[in-house]
Amino acid sequence: MPVFNEEASIERVLAEWLPALREAVGVDLRVLAINDGSRDRTLEKLRAIERANPEVTVRDQANAGHGASCIAGYRLALSSGADWVLQIDSDGQCDPRYFAAFWEARRNAPVIFGYRVRRDDGWSRWAISRVVSLVSWLAAGIWVGDANVPYRLMRAAELSRAVEAMPADIQLANVLIALRLQRAPGIAWIPIRFRERHGGTPSIRAGSFAHQGRLLYRQLRAERRRVPT
């Protein structure tokens, strides 16, 4: 879980996710919260949650951006010996009521993503998601229906291969990971509703996606040359 300036939502998010994970998983689990240099009281609240819940581990780092935080979380989970890695965001938009279906689907699929059939955060965010998928297809020649969705469950072996040789300046890391996973072994999709944020404001502004989209296109073109489709 990458976290940046989520003091308004982080307590509620973990209060609803921890019981859902405990009930569905039934085995040892660890919640890794990657605090990406938050400038509000997020870290203070995370430390309190960590003290009260032995499953929660907080990693504090200098601000590096959402993509770098995701990659740091992936690698920390893998190095900790996880068999499966779930990624969610820390703003409350990922609804835990779908997780049981994800956990059940792992019996037949090594990679499971949510597909946001409904978004409560506005049409502009929906449009951005569709554009991201289109840009990814144009650049890499691989279609991923919801390439930037943050609700995803991945078997460690597949995730480990997907995070190899990541560009140092990647911002939309979720997209590149999704393309690599779609190429092999493939992604199983579960329809989800993406909620409104519990509070706060998005760390990635809608207006910044144009710049990030151009950067993503160049990086994905390089990826296509590295691993021809």
Side-chain angles (χ1 to χ4, degrees):
M1 178 188 293
V3 190
F4 178 71
N5 287 354
E6 295 291 357
E7 66 175 4
S9 63
I10 193 61
E11 292 168 316
R12 182 178 170 188
V13 169
L14 286 171
E16 64 178 1
W17 266 98
L18 283 170
L21 291 169
R22 290 166 182 150
E23 180 178 356
V25 174
V27 296
D28 290 341
L29 64 94
R30 180 69 56 83
V31 176
L32 304 175
I34 312 301
N35 181 57
D36 188 35
S38 295
R39 296 187 292 269
D40 58 7
R41 297 179 59 232
T42 296
L43 181 59
E44 175 187 339
K45 293 188 174 186
L46 281 172
R47 292 298 188 198
I49 296 168
E50 183 181 35
R51 289 191 294 271
N53 298 275
E55 304 102 325
V56 176
T57 296
V58 177
R59 171 174 170 170
D60 186 33
Q61 64 180 30
N63 182 258
H66 185 271
S69 297
C70 290
I71 298 303
Y74 291 152
R75 288 175 173 159
L76 181 57
L78 293 169
S79 66
S80 299
D83 296 314
W84 289 86
V85 178
L86 170 72
Q87 180 196 334
I88 58 171
D89 272 351
S90 55
D91 54 15
Q93 293 189 276
C94 297
D95 192 330
R97 70 186 170 119
Y98 299 109
F99 177 69
F102 277 67
W103 192 242
E104 180 63 25
R106 87 193 192 287
R107 301 181 186 278
N108 300 308
V111 177
I112 306 100
F113 278 27
Y115 187 86
R116 293 174 284 190
V117 295
R118 176 173 174 180
R119 295 194 63 157
D120 296 341
D121 55 352
W123 69 269
S124 62
R125 292 277 165 174
W126 175 89
I128 287 170
S129 295
R130 301 287 77 80
V131 169
V132 166
S133 291
L134 179 60
V135 169
S136 302
W137 175 69
L138 291 172
I142 301 172
W143 177 257
V144 183
D146 197 350
N148 200 37
V149 64
Y151 203 142
R152 48 183 71 186
L153 178 67
M154 301 156 284
R155 191 162 60 190
E158 278 69 30
L159 177 59
S160 180
R161 286 189 287 270
V163 299
E164 292 177 355
M166 294 295 293
D169 59 345
I170 188 76
Q171 287 298 314
L172 297 177
N174 277 345
V175 177
L176 181 51
I177 294 292
L179 290 169
R180 290 178 175 181
L181 290 171
Q182 182 63 57
R183 182 184 293 120
I187 299 171
W189 297 92
I190 290 181
I192 64 171
R193 176 179 177 177
F194 209 52
R195 303 184 300 191
E196 287 276 10
R197 296 173 57 90
H198 284 344
T201 57
S203 59
I204 302 178
R205 302 290 183 179
S208 71
F209 271 96
H211 168 72
Q212 293 194 16
R214 291 191 295 270
L215 177 60
L216 177 68
Y217 182 84
R218 293 196 298 270
Q219 290 171 333
L220 295 184
R221 291 293 295 174
E223 173 80 0
R224 188 171 186 172
R225 291 191 293 269
R226 189 179 75 87
V227 184
T229 55

